[in-house]
């Protein structure tokens, strides 16, 4: 997990930083609810639209998402059997 993701995720969880679309930078607000990647559930993979989600996927999130899902399954497996 990168330092950028950790710091941003903690700040967002505490409500101290406004969430933004990771592609275009639009800020979440009353009229815009951001969604996170449904596969890896990473808090920094936020999207304002299906267009931005598709752009992120083509821009490299596809491979990063697969790695994150694999890391999560290894961590969960270690917790259950380790």
């Amino acid at each position: 997990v990168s330092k950028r993701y950790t710091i941003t995720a903690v700040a967002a969880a505490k409500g101290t930083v406004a969430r933004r679309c990771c592609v275009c930078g639009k800020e979440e607000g009353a009229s815009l609810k951001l969604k996170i990647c449904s596969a890896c559930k990473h808090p920094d993979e936020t999207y304002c639209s299906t267009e931005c989600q598709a752009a992120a996927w083509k821009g490299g999130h596809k491979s990063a998402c697969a790695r994150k899902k694999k890391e999560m399954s290894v961590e969960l497996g270690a917790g259950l059997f380790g």
Side-chain angles (χ1 to χ4, degrees):
V1 176
S2 76
K3 192 172 190 176
R4 178 183 74 89
Y5 281 142
T6 305
I7 291 169
T8 305
V10 170
K14 290 181 178 181
T16 57
V17 173
R19 292 187 339 150
R20 294 184 178 274
C21 175
C22 66
V23 177
C24 71
K26 287 182 184 174
E27 189 173 316
E28 185 173 51
S31 62
L32 177 64
K33 179 69 176 161
L34 298 176
K35 296 181 175 135
I36 63 169
C37 176
S38 61
C40 70
K41 310 262 191 280
H42 199 283
D44 282 345
E45 292 301 325
T46 54
Y47 310 108
C48 67
S49 65
T50 54
E51 292 82 9
C52 282
Q53 183 180 14
W57 192 255
K58 291 177 185 175
H61 181 63
K62 181 178 183 176
S63 60
C65 184
R67 284 192 309 272
K68 289 174 192 173
K69 283 174 35 178
K70 186 175 181 178
E71 289 170 4
M72 288 171 38
S73 67
V74 168
E75 288 173 7
L76 289 174
L80 293 173
F81 304 109

